[in-house]
Tab-separated table of all heavy atoms in Angstrom:
chain	number	residue	atom	x	y	z
Y	31	ARG	N	-4.376	16.211	5.605
Y	31	ARG	CA	-4.424	17.095	6.764
Y	31	ARG	C	-5.540	16.470	7.716
Y	31	ARG	O	-6.554	16.030	7.241
Y	31	ARG	CB	-4.805	18.532	6.368
Y	31	ARG	CG	-4.329	19.486	7.346
Y	31	ARG	CD	-4.335	20.896	6.818
Y	31	ARG	NE	-5.623	21.511	6.710
Y	31	ARG	CZ	-5.955	22.567	6.077
Y	31	ARG	NH1	-4.972	23.167	5.287
Y	31	ARG	NH2	-7.138	23.005	6.011
Y	32	PRO	N	-5.298	16.546	9.013
Y	32	PRO	CA	-6.306	15.965	9.993
Y	32	PRO	C	-7.655	16.642	9.724
Y	32	PRO	O	-7.708	17.851	9.411
Y	32	PRO	CB	-5.758	16.312	11.323
Y	32	PRO	CG	-4.278	16.516	11.145
Y	32	PRO	CD	-4.135	17.056	9.764
Y	33	VAL	N	-8.765	15.900	9.905
Y	33	VAL	CA	-10.104	16.464	9.686
Y	33	VAL	C	-10.362	17.571	10.643
Y	33	VAL	O	-10.819	18.635	10.235
Y	33	VAL	CB	-11.141	15.346	9.896
Y	33	VAL	CG1	-12.521	15.963	9.892
Y	33	VAL	CG2	-10.987	14.257	8.913
Y	34	ARG	N	-9.985	17.503	11.889
Y	34	ARG	CA	-10.097	18.507	12.860
Y	34	ARG	C	-8.721	19.175	13.092
Y	34	ARG	O	-8.150	19.138	14.186
Y	34	ARG	CB	-10.630	18.047	14.169
Y	34	ARG	CG	-12.072	17.568	13.955
Y	34	ARG	CD	-12.683	17.213	15.338
Y	34	ARG	NE	-14.048	16.834	15.148
Y	34	ARG	CZ	-14.507	15.669	15.496
Y	34	ARG	NH1	-13.725	14.769	16.008
Y	34	ARG	NH2	-15.821	15.331	15.254
Y	35	SER	N	-8.186	19.767	12.043
Y	35	SER	CA	-6.758	20.309	12.187
Y	35	SER	C	-6.769	21.555	13.049
Y	35	SER	O	-5.782	21.875	13.613
Y	35	SER	CB	-6.266	20.603	10.757
Y	35	SER	OG	-7.024	21.512	10.059
Y	36	GLY	N	-7.812	22.406	13.180
Y	36	GLY	CA	-7.870	23.505	14.071
Y	36	GLY	C	-6.655	24.425	13.806
Y	36	GLY	O	-5.978	24.870	14.751
Y	37	LEU	N	-6.493	24.814	12.520
Y	37	LEU	CA	-5.365	25.743	12.221
Y	37	LEU	C	-5.882	27.141	12.069
Y	37	LEU	O	-6.855	27.407	11.344
Y	37	LEU	CB	-4.699	25.259	10.877
Y	37	LEU	CG	-4.071	23.748	11.001
Y	37	LEU	CD1	-3.486	23.478	9.625
Y	37	LEU	CD2	-3.153	23.652	12.013
Y	38	VAL	N	-5.197	28.074	12.654
Y	38	VAL	CA	-5.435	29.463	12.481
Y	38	VAL	C	-4.262	30.068	11.701
Y	38	VAL	O	-3.199	30.013	12.211
Y	38	VAL	CB	-5.694	30.172	13.815
Y	38	VAL	CG1	-6.005	31.655	13.586
Y	38	VAL	CG2	-6.882	29.491	14.563
Y	39	TRP	N	-4.485	30.654	10.587
Y	39	TRP	CA	-3.479	31.071	9.670
Y	39	TRP	C	-3.296	32.604	9.753
Y	39	TRP	O	-4.254	33.316	9.845
Y	39	TRP	CB	-3.842	30.712	8.213
Y	39	TRP	CG	-3.834	29.302	7.978
Y	39	TRP	CD1	-4.915	28.372	8.207
Y	39	TRP	CD2	-2.821	28.505	7.356
Y	39	TRP	NE1	-4.616	27.166	7.824
Y	39	TRP	CE2	-3.320	27.164	7.236
Y	39	TRP	CE3	-1.523	28.782	6.834
Y	39	TRP	CZ2	-2.655	26.089	6.702
Y	39	TRP	CZ3	-0.857	27.744	6.303
Y	39	TRP	CH2	-1.349	26.392	6.211
Y	40	ARG	N	-2.071	32.992	9.620
Y	40	ARG	CA	-1.605	34.365	9.256
Y	40	ARG	C	-0.623	34.336	8.176
Y	40	ARG	O	0.437	33.651	8.309
Y	40	ARG	CB	-1.052	35.102	10.515
Y	40	ARG	CG	-1.985	35.309	11.666
Y	40	ARG	CD	-3.134	36.265	11.281
Y	40	ARG	NE	-4.078	36.446	12.356
Y	40	ARG	CZ	-5.295	35.779	12.458
Y	40	ARG	NH1	-5.611	35.002	11.526
Y	40	ARG	NH2	-6.074	36.042	13.508
Y	41	ASN	N	-0.872	34.901	7.033
Y	41	ASN	CA	-0.061	34.726	5.846
Y	41	ASN	C	0.770	36.019	5.595
Y	41	ASN	O	0.217	37.130	5.761
Y	41	ASN	CB	-0.904	34.463	4.640
Y	41	ASN	CG	-1.680	33.124	4.824
Y	41	ASN	OD1	-1.069	32.118	5.045
Y	41	ASN	ND2	-2.997	33.157	4.612
Y	42	TRP	N	1.972	35.849	5.094
Y	42	TRP	CA	2.858	36.906	4.657
Y	42	TRP	C	3.465	36.495	3.390
Y	42	TRP	O	4.208	35.470	3.345
Y	42	TRP	CB	3.959	37.232	5.698
Y	42	TRP	CG	3.502	37.821	6.960
Y	42	TRP	CD1	3.267	39.194	7.129
Y	42	TRP	CD2	3.110	37.137	8.119
Y	42	TRP	NE1	2.815	39.406	8.404
Y	42	TRP	CE2	2.769	38.175	9.103
Y	42	TRP	CE3	3.155	35.763	8.549
Y	42	TRP	CZ2	2.308	37.906	10.341
Y	42	TRP	CZ3	2.768	35.614	9.880
Y	42	TRP	CH2	2.419	36.591	10.717
Y	43	ASP	N	3.117	37.173	2.324
Y	43	ASP	CA	3.726	36.765	1.005
Y	43	ASP	C	3.625	35.305	0.744
Y	43	ASP	O	2.591	34.689	0.702
Y	43	ASP	CB	5.088	37.378	0.798
Y	43	ASP	CG	5.062	38.896	0.825
Y	43	ASP	OD1	4.125	39.511	0.256
Y	43	ASP	OD2	6.066	39.449	1.488
Y	44	SER	N	4.783	34.668	0.721
Y	44	SER	CA	4.820	33.239	0.452
Y	44	SER	C	4.915	32.318	1.668
Y	44	SER	O	4.862	31.125	1.658
Y	44	SER	CB	5.989	32.935	-0.422
Y	44	SER	OG	7.220	33.313	0.155
Y	45	ALA	N	5.108	32.957	2.920
Y	45	ALA	CA	5.191	32.206	4.098
Y	45	ALA	C	3.962	32.367	5.001
Y	45	ALA	O	3.094	33.137	4.626
Y	45	ALA	CB	6.488	32.636	4.842
Y	46	ALA	N	3.912	31.678	6.134
Y	46	ALA	CA	2.726	31.767	6.993
Y	46	ALA	C	3.135	31.397	8.424
Y	46	ALA	O	4.135	30.679	8.666
Y	46	ALA	CB	1.680	30.883	6.520
Y	47	VAL	N	2.355	31.870	9.339
Y	47	VAL	CA	2.451	31.465	10.709
Y	47	VAL	C	1.077	30.784	11.007
Y	47	VAL	O	0.090	31.291	10.601
Y	47	VAL	CB	2.733	32.607	11.692
Y	47	VAL	CG1	2.609	32.115	13.160
Y	47	VAL	CG2	4.119	33.198	11.437
Y	48	VAL	N	1.163	29.549	11.610
Y	48	VAL	CA	-0.094	28.867	11.866
Y	48	VAL	C	-0.180	28.502	13.283
Y	48	VAL	O	0.851	27.973	13.855
Y	48	VAL	CB	-0.271	27.594	10.855
Y	48	VAL	CG1	0.822	26.628	11.138
Y	48	VAL	CG2	-1.566	26.988	11.068
Y	49	PHE	N	-1.242	28.750	13.941
Y	49	PHE	CA	-1.514	28.339	15.331
Y	49	PHE	C	-2.256	27.005	15.272
Y	49	PHE	O	-3.356	26.992	14.611
Y	49	PHE	CB	-2.351	29.417	16.106
Y	49	PHE	CG	-2.666	28.945	17.494
Y	49	PHE	CD1	-1.767	28.807	18.468
Y	49	PHE	CD2	-4.027	28.665	17.760
Y	49	PHE	CE1	-2.027	28.390	19.710
Y	49	PHE	CE2	-4.383	28.309	19.070
Y	49	PHE	CZ	-3.378	28.110	20.059
Y	50	HIS	N	-1.750	26.032	15.822
Y	50	HIS	CA	-2.380	24.655	15.851
Y	50	HIS	C	-3.108	24.493	17.214
Y	50	HIS	O	-2.462	24.309	18.244
Y	50	HIS	CB	-1.232	23.597	15.662
Y	50	HIS	CG	-1.730	22.207	15.611
Y	50	HIS	ND1	-1.210	21.199	16.315
Y	50	HIS	CD2	-2.788	21.602	14.867
Y	50	HIS	CE1	-1.865	20.061	15.986
Y	50	HIS	NE2	-2.788	20.305	15.126
Y	51	GLU	N	-4.479	24.700	17.119
Y	51	GLU	CA	-5.250	24.716	18.299
Y	51	GLU	C	-5.147	23.454	19.157
Y	51	GLU	O	-5.141	23.501	20.457
Y	51	GLU	CB	-6.703	24.943	17.997
Y	51	GLU	CG	-6.989	26.325	17.458
Y	51	GLU	CD	-8.444	26.620	17.006
Y	51	GLU	OE1	-9.149	25.546	16.766
Y	51	GLU	OE2	-8.805	27.803	16.916
Y	52	GLU	N	-5.006	22.307	18.540
Y	52	GLU	CA	-4.947	21.002	19.266
Y	52	GLU	C	-3.694	20.969	20.141
Y	52	GLU	O	-3.822	20.497	21.293
Y	52	GLU	CB	-5.004	19.853	18.307
Y	52	GLU	CG	-5.019	18.524	18.960
Y	52	GLU	CD	-5.209	17.374	17.979
Y	52	GLU	OE1	-5.991	17.468	17.050
Y	52	GLU	OE2	-4.434	16.374	18.061
Y	53	SER	N	-2.643	21.425	19.687
Y	53	SER	CA	-1.324	21.351	20.478
Y	53	SER	C	-1.062	22.665	21.235
Y	53	SER	O	-0.229	22.659	22.155
Y	53	SER	CB	-0.171	21.061	19.503
Y	53	SER	OG	0.133	22.164	18.686
Y	54	GLY	N	-1.710	23.730	20.859
Y	54	GLY	CA	-1.462	25.042	21.482
Y	54	GLY	C	-0.093	25.636	20.967
Y	54	GLY	O	0.354	26.601	21.570
Y	55	GLN	N	0.436	25.070	19.868
Y	55	GLN	CA	1.783	25.584	19.382
Y	55	GLN	C	1.484	26.448	18.125
Y	55	GLN	O	0.530	26.262	17.301
Y	55	GLN	CB	2.607	24.411	19.092
Y	55	GLN	CG	3.002	23.661	20.314
Y	55	GLN	CD	3.997	22.456	19.959
Y	55	GLN	OE1	4.033	22.007	18.870
Y	55	GLN	NE2	4.745	22.079	20.905
Y	56	THR	N	2.415	27.362	17.940
Y	56	THR	CA	2.514	28.196	16.807
Y	56	THR	C	3.702	27.816	15.945
Y	56	THR	O	4.716	27.625	16.474
Y	56	THR	CB	2.534	29.704	17.172
Y	56	THR	OG1	1.344	30.019	17.918
Y	56	THR	CG2	2.559	30.569	15.913
Y	57	HIS	N	3.540	27.704	14.647
Y	57	HIS	CA	4.554	27.250	13.679
Y	57	HIS	C	4.766	28.211	12.582
Y	57	HIS	O	3.824	28.680	12.018
Y	57	HIS	CB	4.311	25.830	13.163
Y	57	HIS	CG	3.985	24.847	14.260
Y	57	HIS	ND1	4.922	24.325	15.035
Y	57	HIS	CD2	2.836	24.221	14.616
Y	57	HIS	CE1	4.378	23.469	15.849
Y	57	HIS	NE2	3.113	23.435	15.579
Y	58	TYR	N	6.045	28.529	12.215
Y	58	TYR	CA	6.308	29.260	11.027
Y	58	TYR	C	6.389	28.219	9.908
Y	58	TYR	O	7.108	27.260	10.004
Y	58	TYR	CB	7.662	29.954	11.227
Y	58	TYR	CG	8.189	30.562	9.894
Y	58	TYR	CD1	7.687	31.791	9.352
Y	58	TYR	CD2	9.149	29.870	9.111
Y	58	TYR	CE1	8.148	32.254	8.168
Y	58	TYR	CE2	9.514	30.381	7.869
Y	58	TYR	CZ	9.052	31.583	7.463
Y	58	TYR	OH	9.458	32.068	6.238
Y	59	LEU	N	5.751	28.552	8.803
Y	59	LEU	CA	5.799	27.664	7.633
Y	59	LEU	C	6.388	28.415	6.430
Y	59	LEU	O	5.925	29.441	6.093
Y	59	LEU	CB	4.373	27.142	7.244
Y	59	LEU	CG	3.608	26.392	8.337
Y	59	LEU	CD1	2.219	26.027	7.697
Y	59	LEU	CD2	4.362	25.182	8.782
Y	60	ASN	N	7.499	27.854	5.894
Y	60	ASN	CA	8.038	28.442	4.727
Y	60	ASN	C	7.142	28.156	3.564
Y	60	ASN	O	6.074	27.547	3.698
Y	60	ASN	CB	9.471	27.938	4.424
Y	60	ASN	CG	9.541	26.425	4.124
Y	60	ASN	OD1	8.547	25.864	3.793
Y	60	ASN	ND2	10.704	25.866	4.258
Y	61	GLU	N	7.475	28.653	2.382
Y	61	GLU	CA	6.589	28.550	1.236
Y	61	GLU	C	6.219	27.112	0.889
Y	61	GLU	O	5.100	26.804	0.589
Y	61	GLU	CB	7.252	29.250	0.048
Y	61	GLU	CG	6.373	29.255	-1.184
Y	61	GLU	CD	7.012	30.094	-2.324
Y	61	GLU	OE1	8.067	30.611	-2.180
Y	61	GLU	OE2	6.295	30.160	-3.427
Y	62	LEU	N	7.203	26.296	0.956
Y	62	LEU	CA	6.976	24.740	0.586
Y	62	LEU	C	6.048	24.188	1.627
Y	62	LEU	O	5.139	23.512	1.287
Y	62	LEU	CB	8.282	24.079	0.548
Y	62	LEU	CG	8.230	22.541	0.319
Y	62	LEU	CD1	7.551	22.227	-1.041
Y	62	LEU	CD2	9.573	21.893	0.387
Y	63	ALA	N	6.280	24.356	2.849
Y	63	ALA	CA	5.436	23.784	3.965
Y	63	ALA	C	4.018	24.367	3.901
Y	63	ALA	O	3.090	23.528	4.019
Y	63	ALA	CB	6.062	24.031	5.334
Y	64	ARG	N	3.937	25.589	3.681
Y	64	ARG	CA	2.665	26.245	3.528
Y	64	ARG	C	1.786	25.600	2.319
Y	64	ARG	O	0.724	25.199	2.507
Y	64	ARG	CB	2.736	27.716	3.362
Y	64	ARG	CG	1.422	28.432	3.030
Y	64	ARG	CD	1.674	29.910	2.746
Y	64	ARG	NE	0.457	30.514	2.247
Y	64	ARG	CZ	0.369	31.737	1.875
Y	64	ARG	NH1	1.456	32.540	2.013
Y	64	ARG	NH2	-0.673	32.194	1.433
Y	65	TRP	N	2.496	25.487	1.232
Y	65	TRP	CA	1.866	24.902	0.044
Y	65	TRP	C	1.386	23.472	0.305
Y	65	TRP	O	0.304	23.119	-0.023
Y	65	TRP	CB	2.813	24.883	-1.158
Y	65	TRP	CG	2.205	24.584	-2.414
Y	65	TRP	CD1	1.631	25.382	-3.403
Y	65	TRP	CD2	1.956	23.199	-2.894
Y	65	TRP	NE1	1.097	24.635	-4.413
Y	65	TRP	CE2	1.278	23.358	-4.124
Y	65	TRP	CE3	2.274	21.953	-2.393
Y	65	TRP	CZ2	0.872	22.179	-4.891
Y	65	TRP	CZ3	1.908	20.815	-3.154
Y	65	TRP	CH2	1.285	20.904	-4.377
Y	66	ILE	N	2.260	22.691	0.960
Y	66	ILE	CA	1.865	21.297	1.202
Y	66	ILE	C	0.686	21.204	2.102
Y	66	ILE	O	-0.213	20.491	1.892
Y	66	ILE	CB	3.117	20.550	1.747
Y	66	ILE	CG1	4.219	20.278	0.693
Y	66	ILE	CG2	2.660	19.157	2.381
Y	66	ILE	CD1	5.457	19.714	1.154
Y	67	VAL	N	0.716	21.937	3.276
Y	67	VAL	CA	-0.416	21.886	4.178
Y	67	VAL	C	-1.711	22.308	3.537
Y	67	VAL	O	-2.729	21.649	3.676
Y	67	VAL	CB	-0.126	22.684	5.479
Y	67	VAL	CG1	-1.315	22.799	6.358
Y	67	VAL	CG2	1.064	22.097	6.243
Y	68	GLU	N	-1.669	23.375	2.758
Y	68	GLU	CA	-2.891	23.866	2.051
Y	68	GLU	C	-3.310	22.833	1.069
Y	68	GLU	O	-4.501	22.560	0.921
Y	68	GLU	CB	-2.574	25.205	1.383
Y	68	GLU	CG	-2.499	26.310	2.362
Y	68	GLU	CD	-2.132	27.701	1.682
Y	68	GLU	OE1	-1.595	27.654	0.565
Y	68	GLU	OE2	-2.317	28.746	2.340
Y	69	HIS	N	-2.396	22.224	0.312
Y	69	HIS	CA	-2.745	21.279	-0.708
Y	69	HIS	C	-3.420	20.086	-0.070
Y	69	HIS	O	-4.395	19.571	-0.602
Y	69	HIS	CB	-1.520	20.811	-1.513
Y	69	HIS	CG	-1.605	19.680	-2.439
Y	69	HIS	ND1	-2.239	19.907	-3.682
Y	69	HIS	CD2	-1.321	18.380	-2.361
Y	69	HIS	CE1	-2.262	18.707	-4.294
Y	69	HIS	NE2	-1.739	17.822	-3.570
Y	70	LEU	N	-2.838	19.565	0.982
Y	70	LEU	CA	-3.354	18.366	1.576
Y	70	LEU	C	-4.711	18.576	2.301
Y	70	LEU	O	-5.425	17.639	2.544
Y	70	LEU	CB	-2.305	17.768	2.566
Y	70	LEU	CG	-1.075	17.216	1.984
Y	70	LEU	CD1	-0.048	16.717	3.029
Y	70	LEU	CD2	-1.403	16.116	0.933
Y	71	GLY	N	-5.034	19.875	2.590
Y	71	GLY	CA	-6.363	20.137	3.109
Y	71	GLY	C	-7.435	19.893	2.081
Y	71	GLY	O	-8.612	19.666	2.380
Side-chain angles (χ1 to χ4, degrees):
R31 203 161 79 193
V33 174
R34 293 190 179 118
S35 58
L37 302 178
V38 179
W39 294 82
R40 295 293 179 260
N41 298 305
W42 290 276
D43 297 320
S44 60
V47 173
V48 62
F49 175 69
H50 186 224
E51 291 177 340
E52 187 175 314
S53 69
Q55 296 182 336
T56 301
H57 306 287
Y58 169 81
L59 302 181
N60 65 17
E61 184 174 0
L62 175 62
R64 175 184 169 182
W65 188 95
I66 289 173
V67 172
E68 289 177 341
H69 174 78
L70 293 176

